[in-house]
């Protein structure tokens, strides 16, 4: 369908916009994330088998461990969506900040002798601080330059970990924390469900932060500006 526009000699070949759901359909679209979250939250209580995907029942320790890992990767992918899908920046150093927070927590726990809650909080702050420092450098360039800078930082972090400076990282095998230094509700097969719920809460928090960032006034203004600029280039 071709319609005339207000500018002589120009036509608008855009397809008609898809109809916006209204009424019950719109309410269902708003409720499905809550339904999915509810199903995931009660998964540890389920004995339902999932043939072809899980070796045991849904609520077994092995299945919950696998699902918790998937939830963590889901949070990682959500961060990638914000960076690559929304801004077009391809980062090869995304996992560096996860590793920094983990190793920092381990060192605060083993070397400084801090209790686990404080060590975990300081590890989180360490990962955020490293992201702010390296991000301030990486964001000075765009495109392939940004990708190469983040790759360089990731490789530097990998080499540092593999060389095990001072015995702090444990090299390629890592460094485990003794069970007596961890809360009892995080240790043992019987408490796998708690680790699963922590991973689920982390994914929900990540989704909430990304949703807030995407719909914030600066982000909305940026998308509108890009669409306007793209429209002017197409018109020209």
């Amino acid at each position: 369908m071709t319609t005339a526009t207000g500018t002589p000699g120009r036509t608008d070949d855009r397809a008609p916009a898809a109809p916006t759901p209204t009424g019950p359909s719109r309410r269902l679209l708003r409720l499905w994330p809550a339904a999915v979250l509810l199903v995931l939250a009660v998964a540890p209580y389920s004995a339902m088998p999932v043939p072809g995907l899980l070796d045991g029942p849904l609520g077994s320790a092995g299945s919950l461990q696998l699902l918790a890992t998937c939830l963590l990767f889901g949070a990682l992918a959500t961060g990638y969506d914000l960076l690559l899908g929304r801004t077009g920046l391809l980062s090869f150093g995304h996992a560096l900040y996860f590793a920094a927070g983990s190793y920092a927590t381990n060192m605060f726990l083993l070397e400084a002798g801090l209790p686990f809650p404080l060590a975990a909080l300081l590890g989180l702050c360490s990962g955020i601080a490293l992201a702010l420092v390296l991000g301030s450098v990486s964001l000075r360039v765009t495109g392939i330059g940004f990708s190469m800078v983040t790759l360089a930082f990731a490789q530097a972090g990998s080499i540092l970990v593999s060389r095990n400076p001072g015995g702090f990282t444990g090299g390629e095998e890592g460094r485990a924390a003794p069970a007596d230094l961890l809360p009892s509700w995080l240790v043992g097969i019987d408490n796998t469900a708690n680790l699963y719920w922590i991973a689920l809460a982390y994914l929900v928090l990540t989704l909430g932060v990304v949703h807030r960032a995407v719909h914030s006034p600066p982000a909305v203004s940026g998308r509108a500006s890009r669409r306007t600029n793209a429209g002017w280039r197409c018109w020209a």
Side-chain angles (χ1 to χ4, degrees):
M1 177 180 179
T2 301
T3 57
T5 62
T7 304
R10 300 289 178 182
T11 59
D12 187 358
D13 295 328
R14 292 175 297 179
T20 302
T22 57
S25 300
R26 187 173 183 178
R27 286 193 293 271
L28 288 176
L29 288 177
R30 289 182 175 181
L31 290 177
W32 77 262
V36 172
L37 177 60
L38 179 61
V39 171
L40 291 175
V42 301
Y45 301 107
S46 174
M48 180 182 67
V50 186
L53 292 179
L54 301 175
D55 291 335
L58 186 60
S60 64
S63 299
L64 291 178
Q65 182 70 29
L66 177 61
L67 292 174
T69 304
C70 294
L71 293 174
L72 292 178
F73 275 105
L76 179 65
T78 302
Y80 261 116
D81 175 67
L82 177 63
L83 196 60
L84 178 60
R86 306 291 179 174
T87 65
L89 295 174
L90 175 60
S91 170
F92 289 110
H94 224 60
L96 175 62
Y97 313 113
F98 283 76
S102 299
Y103 281 114
T105 301
N106 188 286
M107 285 189 288
F108 284 126
L109 190 65
L110 297 181
E111 305 300 332
L114 298 178
F116 177 76
L118 182 57
L121 178 60
L122 291 177
L124 174 63
C125 294
S126 300
I128 294 175
L130 182 63
L132 291 175
V133 173
L134 299 187
S136 65
V137 177
S138 304
L139 290 173
R140 293 180 181 272
V141 293
T142 58
I144 191 63
F146 176 84
S147 301
M148 292 299 100
V149 170
T150 57
L151 178 60
F153 284 137
Q155 287 299 108
S158 177
I159 293 173
L160 181 65
V161 168
S162 63
R163 291 187 176 180
N164 190 21
F168 290 136
T169 65
E172 296 181 356
E173 296 182 358
R175 192 181 183 194
D180 58 344
L181 297 181
L182 301 175
S184 59
W185 53 275
L186 292 179
V187 179
I189 297 178
D190 294 337
N191 294 315
T192 306
N194 295 330
L195 299 176
Y196 168 83
W197 281 318
I198 291 176
L200 177 60
Y202 173 64
L203 174 60
V204 172
L205 176 62
T206 303
L207 289 171
V209 171
V210 170
H211 181 271
R212 178 64 178 173
V214 169
H215 292 85
S216 63
V220 173
S221 299
R223 289 198 299 271
S225 177
R226 287 196 297 272
R227 284 196 297 266
T228 301
N229 292 335
W232 278 109
R233 286 195 297 268
C234 293
W235 186 87

